[in-house]
Amino acid sequence: MNLLEKRTGTISSKTILCLLAVYIIWGSTYLGMKIATKTVPPFLLSGLRFLLAGSLLLGVGLWREKIWPTRRQFLSACLVGVLLIGVGNTCVAVAVHYMPSGLVALLIAAMPAWFMGLDWAFFSRKRPSALTMVGIGLGFLGLFLLFNPFGAHDVRTFPLWPVGVVLIGSISWAVGSLSVPRLQMPTQIISTAIQMLAGCVLCFLISTVLEPGAWQTLPAMNLEGWTAYLYLVLFGSLVGYTSYSWLARNAPPRLTATYAYINPIVALVLGWAIGNESITPMLGVAAAIVIAGVVLMTMGKK
């Protein structure tokens, strides 16, 4: 966000376009990962996804920006890539493999709470407003209603342990995003490419340990799976992640975090319309509470 935008409170057209890309495209990637991980394990899928996307983007960056980063910039981009891609994004891929994609999106909707809490504790030291605190409480109340471990288990068709995986990924993503403005980063496109490639290296390493025989699943990938994979690469990674990376460097964290209450709506609708995921009355109520909480979080500070 440039100086004029900060003074006038306006938002540039580029910021709006990047927000829309993150809002809509990322909302659809939950279903894309769900489809692709039917055959290929999640860590290998993430590694292959960001290997191709990062390689393509690195070529574009070297052609357009023509500035290779310093050692410190390179290491900073690698660190952010490990946090955002290697841990944050891949945890989502693991979760959607075992849980409905719309529910995982609702878990990610709590992201602003981690942004603001970690920002307060370790970064800006700015205490959230009372409205923000109410929103955080409301959001977690909705999640509790949705995943209540003390409720009836006979209607639940998925395990609860992926909720903890999403929690780890959310914290990692928030830390990585909040760190970006405080690190010496390379130029925009090359920085994003290095992040993707660093993240994919971690994914491949984890896949080697936790997913034996993963590479043998590739020949079994059908047309639906390959289509989902290419969509994740071209749109989810190249367009969506690049837009998010730009926002992380140029927009306030609380503005960037607003994608969290648009994504679950898109994910829930697509999961119901295409992925045959059910939307129960309890899910609708819990989703409304979570999203209302996220709206209050982001309204708590301009």
Side-chain angles (χ1 to χ4, degrees), residues 4 18 50 99 116 154 185 226 238 301:
L4 179 61
C18 288
F50 289 104
M99 296 174 59
M116 296 173 191
D154 55 338
M185 301 293 289
W226 284 114
L238 293 180
K301 184 175 178 63

Side-chain angles (χ1 to χ4, degrees), residues 218-260:
L218 290 177
M221 181 87 90
N222 57 20
L223 179 61
E224 181 188 45
W226 284 114
T227 301
Y229 168 74
L230 291 176
Y231 178 83
L232 291 170
V233 170
L234 298 177
F235 290 93
S237 299
L238 293 180
V239 179
Y241 187 78
T242 302
S243 299
Y244 180 83
S245 180
W246 186 89
L247 289 169
R249 296 176 58 151
N250 297 279
R254 289 175 179 82
L255 178 63
T256 304
T258 58
Y259 76 89

Side-chain angles (χ1 to χ4, degrees), residues 40-50 90 203-204 206-207 211 213-218 229:
V40 179
F43 284 104
L44 178 60
L45 173 71
S46 294
L48 293 172
R49 170 186 174 184
F50 289 104
T90 306
C203 291
F204 284 136
I206 297 176
S207 178
E211 298 172 342
W215 290 92
Q216 281 68 45
T217 63
L218 290 177
Y229 168 74

Side-chain angles (χ1 to χ4, degrees), residues 2-162:
N2 59 39
L3 184 59
L4 179 61
E5 291 175 61
K6 290 180 179 179
R7 288 178 176 176
T8 62
T10 59
I11 301 177
S12 69
S13 57
K14 184 173 183 178
T15 302
I16 293 174
L17 289 174
C18 288
L19 283 170
L20 288 175
V22 173
Y23 287 167
I24 299 172
I25 293 175
W26 271 4
S28 65
T29 57
Y30 292 94
L31 180 60
M33 286 186 281
K34 182 76 173 180
I35 294 172
T37 56
K38 288 180 181 179
T39 305
V40 179
F43 284 104
L44 178 60
L45 173 71
S46 294
L48 293 172
R49 170 186 174 184
F50 289 104
L51 174 62
L52 178 56
S55 299
L56 292 173
L57 204 58
L58 183 61
V60 173
L62 292 174
W63 173 59
R64 291 188 58 183
E65 297 173 341
K66 299 181 177 65
I67 301 176
W68 186 251
T70 65
R71 180 176 179 274
R72 184 171 182 178
Q73 290 174 332
F74 177 81
L75 293 177
S76 295
C78 287
L79 173 63
V80 173
V82 166
L83 291 171
L84 267 62
I85 298 297
V87 180
N89 190 276
T90 306
C91 283
V92 176
V94 172
V96 298
H97 182 66
Y98 296 96
M99 296 174 59
S101 58
L103 296 186
V104 176
L106 282 175
L107 280 171
I108 301 298
M111 183 68 73
W114 301 113
F115 265 88
M116 296 173 191
L118 292 169
D119 187 40
W120 174 29
F122 302 107
F123 293 91
S124 70
R125 302 289 183 175
K126 293 181 180 178
R127 181 185 179 89
S129 66
L131 186 61
T132 296
M133 298 300 292
V134 171
I136 291 174
L138 192 61
F140 283 120
L141 172 63
L143 292 178
F144 178 80
L145 292 176
L146 190 61
F147 298 101
N148 181 8
F150 307 106
H153 295 277
D154 55 338
V155 297
R156 187 183 298 127
T157 58
F158 54 87
L160 284 181
W161 65 263

